[in-house]
Amino acid sequence: MNTLADTWSWLTTATHWSGPDGVWHRLGEHLFLTGVCLLISCLIALPVALVLGHLGRGGALAVNLSNIGRAVPTFAVLVLLLLTPIGTYGQWPTIIALVLFAVPPLLTNAYVGMREVDRDVVRAARGMGMTGRQMLLGVELPLALPLVLTGVRIAAVQLVATATLAALAGGGGLGRIITAGFNLASTPQVVAGAILVAVFALLVESLFEAGQRLVPRRGREAA
Amino acid sequence: MTAPPDDCLARNEWICGAYLSTRREILVDAVIQHLQLTAAAVAIALVLAVPLALAARRWRWAAGPVLGLTTILYTIPSLAMFSLLLPVYGLSAALVVAGLVLYSLTLLVRNILAGLRAVPEETRQAARGMGYGPLRLLLAVELPLALPAAMAGLRIATVSAVSLVTVGAIVGHGGLGNLIYSGMNTYFKAQVLTASVLCVIIAVAADLLLLGAGRLLTPWTRRRA
């Protein structure tokens, strides 16, 4: 259990937390990368999924896209983008690869959520003379919200996890502590980095879970 | 002085026939390593997942911890997972396999459990009425009926494992990931593209293979559909 003690002393050394290679800086990069990618993928996936779900079309697209997304290694996409002309523009290869990775679960969950809204409720809304837009935003979206948010949660956690791969391609983020540890042949640093990333991922997961618990309750109060 | 050869390798093009013919052995080795790592990981995960799922269904108190623990394992990033296991396994292929096993567990346990829970109570009672003991009930009735759901989980686990093996490149045991990693460092476009495409082909082929196997093993599901 020598590694454990060494890891602990690595984590408790103040100099490892400060500076441009320190934990705080890497955590900031990680958070920024995850946040930007989550925002972009939501902006791309959610409108498409909500409209397709409202129209009841494109189910096969949503499901197949999700399956294909699993088969394509993110690491490969990252490196491929890095070697194209896009690779010269800083963070863009990482962001594009991560967005491509986060869109499928968002799309699938939002689409399924929209389709699982009770058809009678939708018909009642139409009978009341609601327009398509009113139905989509006022009826279907609130009812589909739990599943839509599940998709966002899955995407967010996967983004946190996958953003570590950026370090393999020379990007920033917490993964950098691990890859730097490998280069220094320092097992304590590698394990310390891994623990940090794992804790961060679990923290995001539980934050989203707590947030999600608040949403349906609010929905019920409003109803 | 001989002039440097003017082929697609020298020009560093994305698609390059000369690469395929000159590096065939490297590619074949990488594909074999990739397949071995994936197969070993999924097989071990399956062997572990079945008893875990059975225990989770048999004892109510076991379900929470089993599902919770495997889900937590699934949340840990792959790069971190391989690194966390580093002190235990060192820089070895076993490290990559162990990491992938922990990943596949969540998907497999969840799906097998869902399949077992979906077996109708009447079916179970009918089998018991016909004199089936607990073991025979499990092997001849419950597991076959849970097979479609289990196969769905196995397909997802396998496809994910194929793509996650590439991350094993960080410890030098990543199958095709090794080629992608070294291709990145040397800016070798043909190698990166070829290895990436091979990864996807392996994933799709494995998925179709399991789909076919699932259909052969559960002929009764086809008639219903």
Side-chain angles (χ1 to χ4, degrees):
Chain A
M1 283 293 102
N2 225 342
T3 320
L4 215 61
D6 289 344
T7 305
W8 179 248
S9 65
W10 192 95
L11 278 172
T12 46
T13 306
T15 48
H16 291 146
W17 287 74
S18 55
D21 288 327
V23 174
W24 290 122
H25 181 69
R26 294 299 180 202
L27 186 67
E29 284 177 340
H30 210 98
L31 208 59
F32 176 75
L33 202 59
T34 315
V36 167
C37 292
L38 188 65
L39 195 70
I40 298 176
S41 6
C42 281
L43 287 177
I44 295 174
L46 292 185
V48 174
L50 294 181
V51 169
L52 286 179
H54 174 69
L55 299 173
R57 293 208 187 111
L61 174 86
V63 173
N64 284 330
L65 203 65
S66 180
N67 288 339
I68 294 168
R70 243 192 285 271
V72 180
T74 317
F75 177 48
V77 176
L78 190 59
V79 175
L80 282 173
L81 286 171
L82 202 68
L83 298 191
T84 59
I86 304 168
T88 47
Y89 296 99
Q91 296 269 46
W92 280 106
T94 317
I95 293 175
I96 293 173
L98 289 177
V99 166
L100 285 176
F101 177 75
V103 161
L106 280 169
L107 201 66
T108 311
N109 270 278
Y111 180 82
V112 171
M114 289 294 282
R115 292 316 295 159
E116 285 192 353
V117 171
D118 195 341
R119 288 297 105 192
D120 289 341
V121 176
V122 177
R123 253 176 258 135
R126 192 175 294 138
M128 286 166 68
M130 280 192 174
T131 63
R133 175 189 280 268
Q134 284 171 330
M135 265 161 54
L136 173 63
L137 295 177
V139 179
E140 290 175 303
L141 181 58
L143 288 173
L145 205 57
L147 261 181
V148 175
L149 286 179
T150 303
V152 175
R153 187 184 93 197
I154 295 173
V157 175
Q158 286 190 345
L159 275 175
V160 170
T162 316
T164 44
L165 291 185
L168 284 180
L174 285 172
R176 199 57 180 269
I177 297 171
I178 299 176
T179 50
F182 270 113
N183 291 336
L184 297 168
S186 157
T187 306
Q189 179 172 345
V190 170
V191 176
I195 291 173
L196 286 169
V197 177
V199 168
F200 186 43
L202 293 174
L203 210 66
V204 169
E205 165 90 18
S206 43
L207 268 179
F208 266 89
E209 223 175 83
Q212 231 180 332
R213 231 167 261 167
L214 295 174
V215 168
R217 207 175 299 150
R218 220 195 298 151
R220 241 177 280 144
E221 275 164 15
Chain B
M1 276 286 283
T2 48
D6 183 39
D7 58 3
C8 57
L9 276 175
R11 273 178 269 127
N12 195 15
E13 283 171 7
W14 285 105
I15 298 166
C16 181
Y19 173 74
L20 285 178
S21 53
T22 53
R23 315 286 169 110
R24 183 181 291 141
E25 274 169 44
I26 299 174
L27 282 170
V28 169
D29 284 348
V31 168
I32 290 173
Q33 192 188 40
H34 210 100
L35 291 175
Q36 281 172 342
L37 290 169
T38 313
V42 174
I44 296 171
L46 198 59
V47 169
L48 291 176
V50 172
L52 280 176
L54 286 175
R57 200 207 36 162
R58 181 82 177 69
W59 299 289
R60 194 172 284 268
W61 55 264
V66 165
L67 287 178
L69 196 69
T70 51
T71 308
I72 288 175
L73 288 172
Y74 192 68
T75 312
I76 298 173
S78 50
L79 187 59
M81 182 80 92
F82 292 148
S83 321
L84 279 174
L85 296 168
L86 184 65
V88 188
Y89 292 99
L91 293 172
S92 65
L95 170 73
V96 179
V97 172
L100 291 172
V101 166
L102 293 179
Y103 265 104
S104 313
L105 269 183
T106 318
L107 297 164
L108 290 175
V109 169
R110 269 178 194 277
N111 275 273
I112 297 171
L113 190 60
L116 286 173
R117 282 183 174 161
V119 176
E121 187 56 38
E122 301 94 79
T123 311
R124 224 173 279 151
Q125 278 169 2
R128 233 175 265 135
M130 286 166 72
Y132 278 47
L135 188 67
R136 199 160 157 228
L137 175 71
L138 178 70
L139 294 179
V141 177
E142 291 181 301
L143 283 181
L145 284 178
L147 208 56
M151 285 305 284
L154 189 64
R155 283 173 62 196
I156 299 173
T158 308
V159 169
S160 311
V162 170
S163 91
L164 278 177
V165 165
T166 54
V167 182
I170 183 77
V171 293
H173 294 271
L176 291 161
N178 287 355
L179 298 183
I180 298 175
Y181 198 49
S182 64
M184 174 183 76
N185 290 330
T186 54
Y187 220 80
F188 195 167
K189 288 177 180 175
Q191 177 159 312
V192 172
L193 185 67
T194 311
S196 307
V197 169
L198 282 173
C199 271
V200 177
I201 291 175
I202 291 176
V204 173
D207 196 41
L208 290 176
L209 208 66
L210 287 173
L211 181 72
R215 283 179 152 231
L216 284 178
L217 286 171
T218 58
W220 61 89
T221 55
R222 252 175 302 163
R223 218 170 305 146
R224 204 171 48 196

